[in-house]
Amino acid sequence: MATREISDAQSPDFAHALRSLHESRLRPEVRLTEVPAPSRLAPHAVAMTADIVDASDGEDLATGRFVLLHDPSEPEPWGGAWRVVTFARAELEPEVAGDPMLSAVGWSWLTDALQAHGITPGNLAGTVTRVVSESFADLEEREPDVEMEIRASWTPADSAVGVHLQAWVDMLGTVGGLPPLPAGVTALPGRRR
């Protein structure tokens, strides 16, 4: 991840949060990039995009955005001074298009990843959307395209937010079809672009 200059001058808590994000150990299949953050949602914000890349052919398996907001005034809807806002998207196999449990399974991928990292999120909220595009007429021989989108937000307890990024990236990997790492196994650091 491109590293922004971290300064304690503006907000020591936010500077700690940035360090926590930058020190996160992520799977080698993850390409993480810092992008401009929304400027009107909170006094302090950082945003990153992540792509899960297939090591064999370089194909993007899933993509998403992770935004960390910090407002020391603790907005009432957040229930704290921090808010994580996420988005994840991936194409799925056509045979899952009609599965009535698909949205519930997608949500469980997020909650399971948070739980696996010991996170009890405050004020957790979100949606899972599946989009099925079917072709007709001259295109009717095409398989349906199935996409899943998971949008979620929650309130971390403090500025140690690197673990929240790790959990979200693990969920993004699951959405993209990566097998989970066995318990107790840490991915070796890969080259991040």
mmCIF file of all heavy atoms in Angstrom, residues 70-108:
data_model
loop_
_atom_site.group_PDB
_atom_site.id
_atom_site.type_symbol
_atom_site.label_atom_id
_atom_site.label_comp_id
_atom_site.label_asym_id
_atom_site.label_seq_id
_atom_site.Cartn_x
_atom_site.Cartn_y
_atom_site.Cartn_z
ATOM 1 N N HIS A 70 -12.896 8.761 11.049
ATOM 2 C CA HIS A 70 -12.669 9.080 12.461
ATOM 3 C C HIS A 70 -13.246 10.459 12.766
ATOM 4 O O HIS A 70 -12.899 11.446 12.117
ATOM 5 C CB HIS A 70 -11.179 9.067 12.781
ATOM 6 C CG HIS A 70 -10.864 9.449 14.200
ATOM 7 N ND1 HIS A 70 -11.442 8.844 15.292
ATOM 8 C CD2 HIS A 70 -10.027 10.390 14.706
ATOM 9 C CE1 HIS A 70 -10.968 9.387 16.401
ATOM 10 N NE2 HIS A 70 -10.113 10.338 16.079
ATOM 11 N N ASP A 71 -14.163 10.480 13.730
ATOM 12 C CA ASP A 71 -14.756 11.732 14.180
ATOM 13 C C ASP A 71 -14.769 11.709 15.706
ATOM 14 O O ASP A 71 -15.572 10.983 16.316
ATOM 15 C CB ASP A 71 -16.176 11.880 13.639
ATOM 16 C CG ASP A 71 -16.777 13.236 13.945
ATOM 17 O OD1 ASP A 71 -16.265 13.941 14.851
ATOM 18 O OD2 ASP A 71 -17.771 13.601 13.289
ATOM 19 N N PRO A 72 -13.853 12.474 16.345
ATOM 20 C CA PRO A 72 -13.782 12.474 17.807
ATOM 21 C C PRO A 72 -15.082 12.883 18.495
ATOM 22 O O PRO A 72 -15.281 12.580 19.671
ATOM 23 C CB PRO A 72 -12.665 13.473 18.116
ATOM 24 C CG PRO A 72 -11.854 13.545 16.870
ATOM 25 C CD PRO A 72 -12.818 13.308 15.736
ATOM 26 N N SER A 73 -16.001 13.524 17.764
ATOM 27 C CA SER A 73 -17.275 13.915 18.384
ATOM 28 C C SER A 73 -18.232 12.728 18.538
ATOM 29 O O SER A 73 -19.312 12.886 19.105
ATOM 30 C CB SER A 73 -17.945 15.028 17.574
ATOM 31 O OG SER A 73 -18.470 14.511 16.369
ATOM 32 N N GLU A 74 -17.857 11.566 18.051
ATOM 33 C CA GLU A 74 -18.641 10.334 18.169
ATOM 34 C C GLU A 74 -20.087 10.490 17.699
ATOM 35 O O GLU A 74 -21.023 10.511 18.503
ATOM 36 C CB GLU A 74 -18.593 9.800 19.603
ATOM 37 C CG GLU A 74 -17.205 9.450 20.061
ATOM 38 C CD GLU A 74 -17.175 8.723 21.398
ATOM 39 O OE1 GLU A 74 -18.244 8.312 21.913
ATOM 40 O OE2 GLU A 74 -16.055 8.549 21.922
ATOM 41 N N PRO A 75 -20.284 10.598 16.393
ATOM 42 C CA PRO A 75 -21.657 10.736 15.871
ATOM 43 C C PRO A 75 -22.568 9.633 16.409
ATOM 44 O O PRO A 75 -22.171 8.469 16.483
ATOM 45 C CB PRO A 75 -21.464 10.606 14.354
ATOM 46 C CG PRO A 75 -20.037 10.977 14.122
ATOM 47 C CD PRO A 75 -19.286 10.535 15.329
ATOM 48 N N GLU A 76 -23.759 10.010 16.779
ATOM 49 C CA GLU A 76 -24.688 9.070 17.405
ATOM 50 C C GLU A 76 -24.929 7.804 16.581
ATOM 51 O O GLU A 76 -24.909 6.703 17.135
ATOM 52 C CB GLU A 76 -26.014 9.769 17.699
ATOM 53 C CG GLU A 76 -26.959 8.893 18.494
ATOM 54 C CD GLU A 76 -28.239 9.618 18.863
ATOM 55 O OE1 GLU A 76 -28.226 10.852 18.986
ATOM 56 O OE2 GLU A 76 -29.248 8.924 19.015
ATOM 57 N N PRO A 77 -25.136 7.892 15.265
ATOM 58 C CA PRO A 77 -25.384 6.657 14.513
ATOM 59 C C PRO A 77 -24.203 5.680 14.538
ATOM 60 O O PRO A 77 -24.390 4.485 14.387
ATOM 61 C CB PRO A 77 -25.647 7.144 13.079
ATOM 62 C CG PRO A 77 -25.998 8.577 13.209
ATOM 63 C CD PRO A 77 -25.287 9.080 14.428
ATOM 64 N N TRP A 78 -22.988 6.208 14.714
ATOM 65 C CA TRP A 78 -21.819 5.336 14.740
ATOM 66 C C TRP A 78 -21.715 4.596 16.054
ATOM 67 O O TRP A 78 -21.215 3.483 16.103
ATOM 68 C CB TRP A 78 -20.533 6.140 14.551
ATOM 69 C CG TRP A 78 -20.348 6.795 13.238
ATOM 70 C CD1 TRP A 78 -21.221 6.881 12.197
ATOM 71 C CD2 TRP A 78 -19.173 7.497 12.819
ATOM 72 N NE1 TRP A 78 -20.685 7.593 11.169
ATOM 73 C CE2 TRP A 78 -19.416 7.987 11.534
ATOM 74 C CE3 TRP A 78 -17.957 7.777 13.429
ATOM 75 C CZ2 TRP A 78 -18.475 8.722 10.819
ATOM 76 C CZ3 TRP A 78 -17.018 8.505 12.728
ATOM 77 C CH2 TRP A 78 -17.273 8.976 11.423
ATOM 78 N N GLY A 79 -22.049 5.252 17.146
ATOM 79 C CA GLY A 79 -21.863 4.649 18.456
ATOM 80 C C GLY A 79 -20.413 4.662 18.902
ATOM 81 O O GLY A 79 -19.997 3.857 19.719
ATOM 82 N N GLY A 80 -19.611 5.569 18.350
ATOM 83 C CA GLY A 80 -18.201 5.679 18.706
ATOM 84 C C GLY A 80 -17.510 6.682 17.808
ATOM 85 O O GLY A 80 -18.145 7.333 16.966
ATOM 86 N N ALA A 81 -16.201 6.795 17.947
ATOM 87 C CA ALA A 81 -15.429 7.776 17.177
ATOM 88 C C ALA A 81 -14.934 7.226 15.841
ATOM 89 O O ALA A 81 -14.393 7.976 15.029
ATOM 90 C CB ALA A 81 -14.241 8.253 18.008
ATOM 91 N N TRP A 82 -15.091 5.933 15.608
ATOM 92 C CA TRP A 82 -14.564 5.289 14.406
ATOM 93 C C TRP A 82 -15.691 4.650 13.610
ATOM 94 O O TRP A 82 -16.685 4.205 14.177
ATOM 95 C CB TRP A 82 -13.571 4.191 14.789
ATOM 96 C CG TRP A 82 -12.427 4.720 15.582
ATOM 97 C CD1 TRP A 82 -12.327 4.766 16.949
ATOM 98 C CD2 TRP A 82 -11.245 5.319 15.072
ATOM 99 N NE1 TRP A 82 -11.145 5.352 17.315
ATOM 100 C CE2 TRP A 82 -10.454 5.698 16.174
ATOM 101 C CE3 TRP A 82 -10.758 5.576 13.790
ATOM 102 C CZ2 TRP A 82 -9.225 6.313 16.042
ATOM 103 C CZ3 TRP A 82 -9.529 6.182 13.646
ATOM 104 C CH2 TRP A 82 -8.781 6.541 14.766
ATOM 105 N N ARG A 83 -15.525 4.580 12.310
ATOM 106 C CA ARG A 83 -16.484 3.862 11.464
ATOM 107 C C ARG A 83 -15.733 3.273 10.285
ATOM 108 O O ARG A 83 -14.956 3.961 9.610
ATOM 109 C CB ARG A 83 -17.588 4.797 10.973
ATOM 110 C CG ARG A 83 -18.776 4.076 10.355
ATOM 111 C CD ARG A 83 -19.615 3.412 11.417
ATOM 112 N NE ARG A 83 -20.772 2.729 10.822
ATOM 113 C CZ ARG A 83 -21.479 1.813 11.427
ATOM 114 N NH1 ARG A 83 -21.182 1.447 12.656
ATOM 115 N NH2 ARG A 83 -22.507 1.249 10.843
ATOM 116 N N VAL A 84 -15.931 1.989 10.045
ATOM 117 C CA VAL A 84 -15.406 1.312 8.865
ATOM 118 C C VAL A 84 -16.563 1.169 7.883
ATOM 119 O O VAL A 84 -17.655 0.735 8.267
ATOM 120 C CB VAL A 84 -14.836 -0.079 9.225
ATOM 121 C CG1 VAL A 84 -14.525 -0.884 7.968
ATOM 122 C CG2 VAL A 84 -13.599 0.058 10.093
ATOM 123 N N VAL A 85 -16.343 1.546 6.638
ATOM 124 C CA VAL A 85 -17.351 1.433 5.590
ATOM 125 C C VAL A 85 -16.714 0.627 4.457
ATOM 126 O O VAL A 85 -15.646 0.998 3.957
ATOM 127 C CB VAL A 85 -17.792 2.823 5.082
ATOM 128 C CG1 VAL A 85 -18.853 2.688 3.999
ATOM 129 C CG2 VAL A 85 -18.290 3.685 6.236
ATOM 130 N N THR A 86 -17.365 -0.478 4.072
ATOM 131 C CA THR A 86 -16.754 -1.376 3.092
ATOM 132 C C THR A 86 -17.703 -1.723 1.955
ATOM 133 O O THR A 86 -18.919 -1.639 2.085
ATOM 134 C CB THR A 86 -16.300 -2.694 3.762
ATOM 135 O OG1 THR A 86 -17.462 -3.398 4.222
ATOM 136 C CG2 THR A 86 -15.341 -2.441 4.907
ATOM 137 N N PHE A 87 -17.076 -2.144 0.874
ATOM 138 C CA PHE A 87 -17.786 -2.617 -0.312
ATOM 139 C C PHE A 87 -16.950 -3.742 -0.897
ATOM 140 O O PHE A 87 -15.720 -3.641 -0.947
ATOM 141 C CB PHE A 87 -17.936 -1.469 -1.320
ATOM 142 C CG PHE A 87 -18.389 -1.912 -2.683
ATOM 143 C CD1 PHE A 87 -19.717 -2.237 -2.912
ATOM 144 C CD2 PHE A 87 -17.499 -2.013 -3.722
ATOM 145 C CE1 PHE A 87 -20.138 -2.652 -4.160
ATOM 146 C CE2 PHE A 87 -17.911 -2.416 -4.987
ATOM 147 C CZ PHE A 87 -19.234 -2.736 -5.207
ATOM 148 N N ALA A 88 -17.592 -4.816 -1.308
ATOM 149 C CA ALA A 88 -16.897 -5.932 -1.967
ATOM 150 C C ALA A 88 -17.752 -6.425 -3.124
ATOM 151 O O ALA A 88 -18.986 -6.460 -3.020
ATOM 152 C CB ALA A 88 -16.651 -7.062 -0.981
ATOM 153 N N ARG A 89 -17.083 -6.816 -4.209
ATOM 154 C CA ARG A 89 -17.819 -7.311 -5.382
ATOM 155 C C ARG A 89 -17.020 -8.418 -6.051
ATOM 156 O O ARG A 89 -15.796 -8.324 -6.169
ATOM 157 C CB ARG A 89 -18.074 -6.193 -6.381
ATOM 158 C CG ARG A 89 -18.789 -6.683 -7.634
ATOM 159 C CD ARG A 89 -19.056 -5.623 -8.663
ATOM 160 N NE ARG A 89 -17.862 -4.873 -8.971
ATOM 161 C CZ ARG A 89 -17.828 -3.550 -9.100
ATOM 162 N NH1 ARG A 89 -18.908 -2.835 -8.946
ATOM 163 N NH2 ARG A 89 -16.712 -2.946 -9.398
ATOM 164 N N ALA A 90 -17.730 -9.455 -6.513
ATOM 165 C CA ALA A 90 -17.095 -10.536 -7.257
ATOM 166 C C ALA A 90 -18.123 -11.189 -8.164
ATOM 167 O O ALA A 90 -19.323 -11.171 -7.883
ATOM 168 C CB ALA A 90 -16.505 -11.577 -6.315
ATOM 169 N N GLU A 91 -17.624 -11.759 -9.254
ATOM 170 C CA GLU A 91 -18.475 -12.573 -10.117
ATOM 171 C C GLU A 91 -18.505 -13.972 -9.545
ATOM 172 O O GLU A 91 -17.505 -14.472 -9.029
ATOM 173 C CB GLU A 91 -17.925 -12.601 -11.546
ATOM 174 C CG GLU A 91 -18.123 -11.308 -12.284
ATOM 175 C CD GLU A 91 -17.729 -11.399 -13.749
ATOM 176 O OE1 GLU A 91 -17.827 -12.497 -14.332
ATOM 177 O OE2 GLU A 91 -17.320 -10.374 -14.290
ATOM 178 N N LEU A 92 -19.671 -14.604 -9.617
ATOM 179 C CA LEU A 92 -19.843 -15.952 -9.107
ATOM 180 C C LEU A 92 -20.216 -16.897 -10.244
ATOM 181 O O LEU A 92 -20.548 -16.460 -11.347
ATOM 182 C CB LEU A 92 -20.921 -15.975 -8.022
ATOM 183 C CG LEU A 92 -20.691 -15.048 -6.825
ATOM 184 C CD1 LEU A 92 -21.871 -15.129 -5.870
ATOM 185 C CD2 LEU A 92 -19.401 -15.390 -6.105
ATOM 186 N N GLU A 93 -20.190 -18.173 -9.945
ATOM 187 C CA GLU A 93 -20.561 -19.189 -10.934
ATOM 188 C C GLU A 93 -22.045 -19.080 -11.272
ATOM 189 O O GLU A 93 -22.871 -18.846 -10.380
ATOM 190 C CB GLU A 93 -20.255 -20.581 -10.391
ATOM 191 C CG GLU A 93 -18.787 -20.811 -10.093
ATOM 192 C CD GLU A 93 -17.913 -20.714 -11.328
ATOM 193 O OE1 GLU A 93 -18.346 -21.164 -12.418
ATOM 194 O OE2 GLU A 93 -16.805 -20.164 -11.228
ATOM 195 N N PRO A 94 -22.420 -19.262 -12.548
ATOM 196 C CA PRO A 94 -23.827 -19.136 -12.951
ATOM 197 C C PRO A 94 -24.773 -20.065 -12.198
ATOM 198 O O PRO A 94 -25.922 -19.715 -11.955
ATOM 199 C CB PRO A 94 -23.809 -19.485 -14.446
ATOM 200 C CG PRO A 94 -22.411 -19.236 -14.882
ATOM 201 C CD PRO A 94 -21.535 -19.506 -13.696
ATOM 202 N N GLU A 95 -24.297 -21.240 -11.770
ATOM 203 C CA GLU A 95 -25.201 -22.190 -11.109
ATOM 204 C C GLU A 95 -25.701 -21.715 -9.745
ATOM 205 O O GLU A 95 -26.663 -22.261 -9.219
ATOM 206 C CB GLU A 95 -24.582 -23.587 -10.994
ATOM 207 C CG GLU A 95 -23.187 -23.658 -10.475
ATOM 208 C CD GLU A 95 -22.092 -23.508 -11.538
ATOM 209 O OE1 GLU A 95 -22.380 -23.292 -12.725
ATOM 210 O OE2 GLU A 95 -20.936 -23.579 -11.144
ATOM 211 N N VAL A 96 -25.089 -20.681 -9.162
ATOM 212 C CA VAL A 96 -25.567 -20.185 -7.866
ATOM 213 C C VAL A 96 -26.623 -19.089 -8.024
ATOM 214 O O VAL A 96 -27.155 -18.602 -7.022
ATOM 215 C CB VAL A 96 -24.408 -19.674 -6.972
ATOM 216 C CG1 VAL A 96 -23.393 -20.757 -6.721
ATOM 217 C CG2 VAL A 96 -23.773 -18.424 -7.534
ATOM 218 N N ALA A 97 -26.948 -18.718 -9.250
ATOM 219 C CA ALA A 97 -27.856 -17.596 -9.503
ATOM 220 C C ALA A 97 -29.186 -17.728 -8.774
ATOM 221 O O ALA A 97 -29.714 -16.758 -8.250
ATOM 222 C CB ALA A 97 -28.093 -17.426 -10.993
ATOM 223 N N GLY A 98 -29.744 -18.918 -8.723
ATOM 224 C CA GLY A 98 -31.057 -19.091 -8.130
ATOM 225 C C GLY A 98 -31.045 -19.542 -6.684
ATOM 226 O O GLY A 98 -32.104 -19.797 -6.111
ATOM 227 N N ASP A 99 -29.882 -19.635 -6.083
ATOM 228 C CA ASP A 99 -29.792 -20.117 -4.702
ATOM 229 C C ASP A 99 -30.417 -19.101 -3.752
ATOM 230 O O ASP A 99 -29.915 -17.989 -3.606
ATOM 231 C CB ASP A 99 -28.338 -20.366 -4.327
ATOM 232 C CG ASP A 99 -28.167 -21.014 -2.970
ATOM 233 O OD1 ASP A 99 -29.093 -20.927 -2.132
ATOM 234 O OD2 ASP A 99 -27.112 -21.619 -2.733
ATOM 235 N N PRO A 100 -31.510 -19.448 -3.067
ATOM 236 C CA PRO A 100 -32.170 -18.492 -2.190
ATOM 237 C C PRO A 100 -31.333 -18.131 -0.952
ATOM 238 O O PRO A 100 -31.595 -17.132 -0.299
ATOM 239 C CB PRO A 100 -33.469 -19.199 -1.779
ATOM 240 C CG PRO A 100 -33.194 -20.652 -1.987
ATOM 241 C CD PRO A 100 -32.194 -20.736 -3.114
ATOM 242 N N MET A 101 -30.313 -18.921 -0.635
ATOM 243 C CA MET A 101 -29.471 -18.666 0.533
ATOM 244 C C MET A 101 -28.228 -17.846 0.201
ATOM 245 O O MET A 101 -27.446 -17.529 1.094
ATOM 246 C CB MET A 101 -29.038 -20.001 1.162
ATOM 247 C CG MET A 101 -30.180 -20.807 1.738
ATOM 248 S SD MET A 101 -31.065 -19.919 3.044
ATOM 249 C CE MET A 101 -29.800 -19.785 4.271
ATOM 250 N N LEU A 102 -28.046 -17.468 -1.052
ATOM 251 C CA LEU A 102 -26.822 -16.798 -1.474
ATOM 252 C C LEU A 102 -26.548 -15.517 -0.677
ATOM 253 O O LEU A 102 -25.423 -15.302 -0.220
ATOM 254 C CB LEU A 102 -26.861 -16.484 -2.974
ATOM 255 C CG LEU A 102 -25.602 -15.857 -3.560
ATOM 256 C CD1 LEU A 102 -24.398 -16.781 -3.359
ATOM 257 C CD2 LEU A 102 -25.798 -15.554 -5.042
ATOM 258 N N SER A 103 -27.540 -14.698 -0.480
ATOM 259 C CA SER A 103 -27.324 -13.454 0.263
ATOM 260 C C SER A 103 -26.950 -13.733 1.716
ATOM 261 O O SER A 103 -26.034 -13.108 2.265
ATOM 262 C CB SER A 103 -28.571 -12.572 0.205
ATOM 263 O OG SER A 103 -28.804 -12.161 -1.130
ATOM 264 N N ALA A 104 -27.619 -14.681 2.346
ATOM 265 C CA ALA A 104 -27.302 -15.027 3.739
ATOM 266 C C ALA A 104 -25.888 -15.596 3.848
ATOM 267 O O ALA A 104 -25.158 -15.287 4.797
ATOM 268 C CB ALA A 104 -28.319 -16.021 4.281
ATOM 269 N N VAL A 105 -25.492 -16.393 2.879
ATOM 270 C CA VAL A 105 -24.131 -16.941 2.874
ATOM 271 C C VAL A 105 -23.116 -15.812 2.713
ATOM 272 O O VAL A 105 -22.110 -15.761 3.416
ATOM 273 C CB VAL A 105 -23.971 -18.001 1.762
ATOM 274 C CG1 VAL A 105 -22.510 -18.371 1.556
ATOM 275 C CG2 VAL A 105 -24.788 -19.238 2.092
ATOM 276 N N GLY A 106 -23.380 -14.880 1.816
ATOM 277 C CA GLY A 106 -22.486 -13.737 1.623
ATOM 278 C C GLY A 106 -22.305 -12.937 2.906
ATOM 279 O O GLY A 106 -21.191 -12.541 3.262
ATOM 280 N N TRP A 107 -23.403 -12.703 3.626
ATOM 281 C CA TRP A 107 -23.313 -11.960 4.882
ATOM 282 C C TRP A 107 -22.514 -12.763 5.917
ATOM 283 O O TRP A 107 -21.730 -12.210 6.676
ATOM 284 C CB TRP A 107 -24.702 -11.615 5.404
ATOM 285 C CG TRP A 107 -24.648 -10.705 6.584
ATOM 286 C CD1 TRP A 107 -24.910 -11.020 7.882
ATOM 287 C CD2 TRP A 107 -24.268 -9.330 6.586
ATOM 288 N NE1 TRP A 107 -24.730 -9.917 8.690
ATOM 289 C CE2 TRP A 107 -24.331 -8.869 7.907
ATOM 290 C CE3 TRP A 107 -23.871 -8.437 5.585
ATOM 291 C CZ2 TRP A 107 -24.016 -7.564 8.275
ATOM 292 C CZ3 TRP A 107 -23.572 -7.128 5.936
ATOM 293 C CH2 TRP A 107 -23.642 -6.710 7.264
ATOM 294 N N SER A 108 -22.709 -14.074 5.929
ATOM 295 C CA SER A 108 -21.978 -14.906 6.893
ATOM 296 C C SER A 108 -20.476 -14.882 6.609
ATOM 297 O O SER A 108 -19.673 -15.031 7.535
ATOM 298 C CB SER A 108 -22.507 -16.343 6.901
ATOM 299 O OG SER A 108 -22.094 -17.045 5.755
#
